[in-house]
Amino acid sequence: MTTPTTESTGTRRRWAGLAVLVLSVTLVAVDATVLSLAIPSISETLDPSSTQLLWIGDSYSFVLAGLLVSMGALSDRIGRKKLLLLGSSAFGTASLLAAYSPGPGWLILARALLGVAGATIMPSTLSLIRTLFPDARERATAIGVWGAGATAGAALGPLVGGVLLEHFWWGSVFLLNLPVLLLLLVLGAWLLPESRDPEPGSWDLLSVLLSMAGVIGVVYAIKELAANGLGHWYVPAALAAGGLALAAFVRRQLRLASPLLDVRLFGNPRFTAAVAGSLASLIGLSGVLFFMSQYLQLVRGYSPLTAGLAEMPAFAGAVAGGLLTAWVARRTGARATLAGGLLVMGAGLGLLGWVHEDSAYLLLGISFLAVGTAEGVVYTLAADLVLSAAPADRAGAASAVSETAYELGTALGIALVGSVVTAIYAGSLHFPAGTPAAAAERAGQSISGAVEAAASLPDGLGQPLLAQAEHAFVHGMNTAALLAAGLLLVSAATAWRLLRDRPGTAASPAGEPTGDEPTGEPGEPAAAPAARSGLAA
């Protein structure tokens, strides 16, 4: 018989375990964006090319996205707690390598290794929440807290980076991981339960390789296409190879008795809408952080700490949005909440299309707040929809789909938005007469290169060159912001359509269809109201 004291102890232990999981997911999310404010310092110290600079930002998310599905399935097999703790140890080792990288190539490698380790952490956190909180309403609250940690971590990265860069060198942003990871290892080993799929089947190595090749190949091709067009043979080759690998991966999953990823889950419109919405929202958020951090420092002249503080509305909004998601979804329904969140985020990004070199900060603050709050709502609700659509024994693999959308969105945001800004910057930059060739070449690489080149020239040349560079960068930033806003608006319309009322869905207590009930797997009857998402229940 369970006594009140025993039940109370179990409840406290569950929520303490959730705190450990939130700590781990926040750490991984911070690492995805913490370098945004360090880019100028890294450019000055390591002197990377413009392509290397993008890869320093991209390699972490690319590798993480390519491995998440595989690691999610692995966690179902060997144990989610075990993989979480192993990954945390590897994350600490890779952080040391990144902090003391002697050149851009080493830093890219270290970021890729961080991605490998991060891929073992992310899927385990969400699937362990399902183990810790079997009750749907408790789980809804837990996912809200977890979602706030994930989105707030991405928004918090620039502030953490700003504080550290104000006093230390750029490598300190990685050393911060070590004490957090030590705490995670000690508390995780004590508080977290072990869970795994009781009948996991074999871990199909060919599926692992196909998923990695497909995701990384397609993302690389899109990145290069945005930066250089189709002028190089390897761009369409990478796109074709990645597409073929993904097609082969899907065909193989449909044939395997124990697939790495149950692609039939995408037959559930709720699942598809959640994944697509999460992907689009992260493209917007990571893109904003990537170019706005450079804008605040290199165009407006903010210090790293001031720039981090300037982006605080995004952090505050992400926390508030994640925590309020359950309340909003229960009152408006998952359909209106998801589509509305994407609409608000698109509007916030659209505001940045009208920012100039000397725009009032109020415009920036409103945009940051709107984008952060909407991202907190969208990502938290999407994670809950994904988790509620999957069987409990496939929680790790389903969670990995949500996390893949998160990291793939981060990578695409940096790649696409960064490439658009870079391409427009280079195409619209005009050099004052008499600018030395070496200075022009350096300024044409990036806005940070222009700042350094202008500093080496007499005022009569340096100031006009800097003014031209700032104008070209802001022009590229405006265009990229409007394109990202368009993507979010299309995503909102798509989510609204996918989550529309369908024949056979359960009715609300008032007798009206809500459009929030899962329709079940293809060929299966619609789920009962009790099987609904915890957030919308």
Side-chain angles (χ1 to χ4, degrees):
M1 180 176 177
T2 303
T3 66
T5 302
T6 303
E7 185 176 345
S8 174
T9 301
T11 300
R12 288 198 298 269
R13 191 178 184 89
R14 282 201 304 275
W15 291 102
L18 175 65
V20 174
L21 297 177
V22 171
L23 178 66
S24 62
V25 76
T26 302
L27 176 67
V28 176
V30 164
D31 234 62
T33 58
V34 72
L35 272 190
S36 58
L37 287 180
I39 292 298
S41 178
I42 290 172
S43 297
E44 182 180 352
T45 306
L46 300 183
D47 195 26
S49 67
S50 58
T51 301
Q52 286 177 321
L53 200 60
L54 285 177
W55 276 112
I56 287 171
D58 285 343
S59 56
Y60 175 79
S61 293
F62 279 1
V63 173
L64 204 159
L67 283 172
L68 273 169
V69 170
S70 303
M71 292 302 180
L74 184 62
S75 74
D76 287 337
R77 288 159 171 77
I78 71 170
R80 290 138 191 170
K81 174 181 176 179
K82 180 185 295 184
L83 194 63
L84 174 66
L85 298 180
L86 287 173
S88 299
S89 301
F91 204 87
T93 303
S95 296
L96 277 173
L97 177 60
Y100 295 102
S101 296
W106 279 100
L107 183 54
I108 292 170
L109 173 62
R111 292 278 288 166
L113 293 175
L114 280 168
V116 175
T120 66
I121 295 173
M122 293 291 274
S124 301
T125 59
L126 191 52
S127 52
L128 280 169
I129 286 177
R130 187 164 188 165
T131 302
L132 282 168
F133 299 95
D135 177 74
R137 284 192 175 269
E138 270 199 337
R139 186 169 67 243
T141 303
I143 289 177
V145 174
W146 175 90
T151 52
L156 184 62
L159 178 61
V160 173
V163 171
L164 291 172
L165 292 169
E166 195 78 7
H167 303 286
F168 308 103
W169 95 115
W170 60 263
S172 62
V173 300
F174 295 107
L175 294 182
L176 176 69
N177 295 340
L178 299 180
V180 179
L181 286 167
L182 181 61
L183 184 65
L184 173 62
L185 288 169
V186 173
L187 294 180
W190 174 38
L191 293 170
L192 295 177
E194 185 57 280
S195 71
R196 58 172 60 87
D197 184 348
E199 299 179 2
S202 60
W203 196 57
D204 187 53
L205 181 59
L206 180 56
S207 294
V208 172
L209 296 176
L210 286 172
S211 68
M212 285 185 61
V215 171
I216 294 175
V218 170
V219 173
Y220 172 76
I222 293 173
K223 174 183 180 300
E224 291 298 317
L225 182 64
N228 304 311
L230 289 170
H232 300 285
W233 65 269
Y234 53 80
V235 176
L239 185 60
L244 288 173
L246 286 178
F249 173 78
V250 171
R251 286 176 59 86
R252 187 167 181 81
Q253 302 319 293
L254 291 171
R255 293 174 178 175
L256 290 174
S258 180
L260 195 68
L261 171 66
D262 188 357
V263 295
R264 293 180 180 85
L265 286 171
F266 285 95
N268 186 327
R270 293 165 65 84
F271 187 91
T272 303
V275 173
S278 182
L279 177 67
S281 66
L282 261 297
I283 289 175
L285 179 66
S286 62
V288 165
L289 292 175
F290 180 79
F291 64 69
M292 287 306 298
S293 295
Q294 295 180 71
Y295 166 79
L296 292 171
Q297 290 183 84
L298 300 174
V299 176
R300 296 183 73 103
Y302 290 0
S303 70
L305 177 57
T306 304
L309 290 171
E311 294 183 4
M312 273 297 286
F315 165 70
V319 174
L323 295 176
L324 289 173
T325 302
W327 182 84
V328 174
R330 281 196 289 266
R331 281 154 182 79
T332 65
R335 186 189 192 199
T337 303
L338 186 62
L342 292 167
L343 275 175
V344 170
M345 193 170 191
L349 288 172
L351 285 177
L352 297 178
W354 309 104
V355 168
H356 301 296
E357 291 90 327
D358 56 352
S359 293
Y361 173 75
L362 180 62
L363 181 63
L364 300 176
I366 292 172
S367 173
F368 290 153
L369 182 62
V371 170
T373 304
E375 167 58 25
V377 171
V378 169
Y379 187 68
T380 303
L381 179 58
D384 184 72
L385 290 172
V386 166
L387 199 62
S388 63
D393 58 359
R394 303 293 293 162
S399 302
V401 176
S402 176
E403 299 307 330
T404 299
Y406 183 100
E407 295 303 331
L408 194 55
T410 301
L412 283 173
I414 294 174
L416 294 179
V417 174
S419 296
V420 168
V421 172
T422 299
I424 295 177
Y425 168 81
S428 59
L429 179 60
H430 301 290
F431 300 105
T435 303
E441 180 181 359
R442 186 165 188 80
Q445 290 284 324
S446 64
I447 181 66
S448 60
V451 171
E452 293 173 13
S456 67
L457 297 175
D459 286 345
L461 280 178
Q463 288 302 320
L465 173 61
L466 185 59
Q468 288 287 341
E470 290 175 351
H471 180 75
F473 181 83
V474 171
H475 177 47
M477 183 185 78
N478 295 153
T479 304
L482 291 173
L483 290 173
L487 172 65
L488 267 296
L489 296 181
V490 171
S491 300
T494 302
W496 184 260
R497 181 177 179 276
L498 286 173
L499 295 177
R500 70 187 186 277
D501 297 343
R502 295 168 185 272
T505 54
S508 68
E512 296 293 327
T514 66
D516 289 330
E517 290 77 20
T519 58
E521 296 302 316
E524 294 181 0
R532 290 187 300 176
S533 155
L535 292 178

